[in-house]
Amino acid sequence: MATDDRVNYLARLEGLLRDLRIAISLCTRLPVAPSSAIGEGDLARASWAFPIAGALIGLIGAAVYWIADRLHLPPLAASVLALAATIFLSGAMHEDGLADAADGLGGGRTREKKLEIMRDSRIGTFGACALGLSLLLRWSALATLNDTRSVAIALIVAHAAARAVLPAFMSLVPPARSEGLSSSAGQPQPVSAAIALGLGIAALAIGFGLKAMLTGAVALAAIGLLLARLAQRQIGGQTGDVLGALEQAAEATLLLLATTLL
């Protein structure tokens, strides 16, 4: 390999590793952020790695379930612990987004009022109901699976594929406001969104099989389209809270799908 080719190869590899560290540090509490400052556009470029960060979250949740099972805890308790581990590892970022999005989209009569409600850190009735339903659906799905192998597959696939749709959503639906996490992250380039989707589809195919992959992909597309239409009509675009709601809806849907397959 020529010197220039080797330098270019190492530079590309370093860029991929930096993207991966940015994605994991954004999606989890793990202290893996790059030492250099994250600049404008870095988050959008690194979004292709969101599914990898999601798979890591699911893997750790599966490990907690396995430990609970080895300690002879009942499946209901093991499922609670696994779910708690994924929430803690992600910093409850998407749960917070779901609650804020539900409060904003469910309340307020004007676009400005809805955005104001979504900025408020307090949880209202719509947010509490949405969060409670999300937790119950995901917990009941894990408890229904009732064995470590099925739980591991379901968690890894659900967390990876649910985050795989976020870059495409960010790319296709414009930000609703000029400030906030979604706006500052920027809109991912089509190649980043395509790679993320490809990783999500691969996770579905490997974990659920080719036939169920199509069902999962259609379900994710339907959720994304419905939420995009709702957000654009009510607030003029997407926000970080809307992205959190999308991830939660996708994750719960895929876990429920897993109960019919595994």
Side-chain angles (χ1 to χ4, degrees):
M1 182 182 294
T3 302
D4 289 345
D5 291 339
R6 180 180 177 83
V7 170
N8 290 334
Y9 171 78
L10 291 176
R12 288 195 296 270
L13 180 59
E14 183 179 354
L16 292 176
L17 291 176
R18 176 178 168 81
D19 286 349
L20 186 58
R21 293 178 68 178
I22 290 173
I24 294 176
S25 66
L26 174 67
C27 296
T28 76
R29 291 174 175 265
L30 297 176
V32 297
S35 55
S36 57
I38 298 176
E40 183 177 354
D42 284 351
L43 287 177
R45 190 189 64 250
S47 63
W48 66 267
F50 284 178
I52 300 176
L56 178 60
I57 294 172
L59 179 62
I60 292 176
V64 170
Y65 187 97
W66 180 85
I67 293 172
D69 183 66
R70 296 285 79 78
L71 294 174
H72 303 293
L73 295 180
L76 296 181
S79 299
V80 170
L81 293 174
L83 182 58
T86 62
I87 293 173
F88 176 79
L89 185 62
S90 65
M93 177 171 62
H94 300 303
E95 284 79 8
D96 179 70
L98 171 65
D100 288 342
D103 280 332
L105 298 178
R109 295 183 178 275
T110 65
R111 173 183 179 274
E112 290 71 23
K113 185 60 178 178
K114 290 176 181 294
L115 288 172
E116 179 184 343
I117 292 173
M118 291 169 71
R119 289 191 185 96
D120 193 336
S121 60
R122 293 172 295 182
I123 297 180
T125 302
F126 286 108
C129 290
L131 187 56
L133 288 172
S134 172
L135 292 171
L136 285 172
L137 286 173
R138 290 181 289 156
W139 168 72
S140 62
L142 293 176
T144 300
L145 291 171
N146 199 21
D147 73 87
T148 55
R149 178 181 178 276
S150 297
V151 168
I153 293 173
L155 282 172
I156 294 171
V157 171
H159 280 275
R163 287 165 176 81
V165 300
L166 300 183
F169 195 88
M170 294 167 65
S171 180
L172 296 173
V173 183
R177 53 191 178 213
S178 58
E179 75 279 355
L181 176 61
S182 179
S183 178
S184 63
Q187 290 184 280
Q189 294 296 314
V191 64
S192 294
I195 292 173
L197 287 174
L199 291 173
I201 290 173
L204 286 170
I206 295 171
F208 291 170
L210 292 177
K211 186 176 181 180
M213 175 200 73
L214 296 176
T215 303
V218 170
L220 293 180
I223 293 169
L225 290 172
L226 287 172
L227 190 55
R229 180 174 176 81
L230 178 64
Q232 286 185 303
R233 287 183 62 182
Q234 293 205 21
I235 58 176
Q238 50 91 3
T239 67
D241 291 330
V242 173
L243 294 175
L246 173 60
E247 191 282 335
Q248 288 285 279
E251 183 185 328
T253 298
L254 292 175
L255 288 176
L256 290 173
L257 179 60
T259 63
T260 69
L261 301 172
L262 303 176

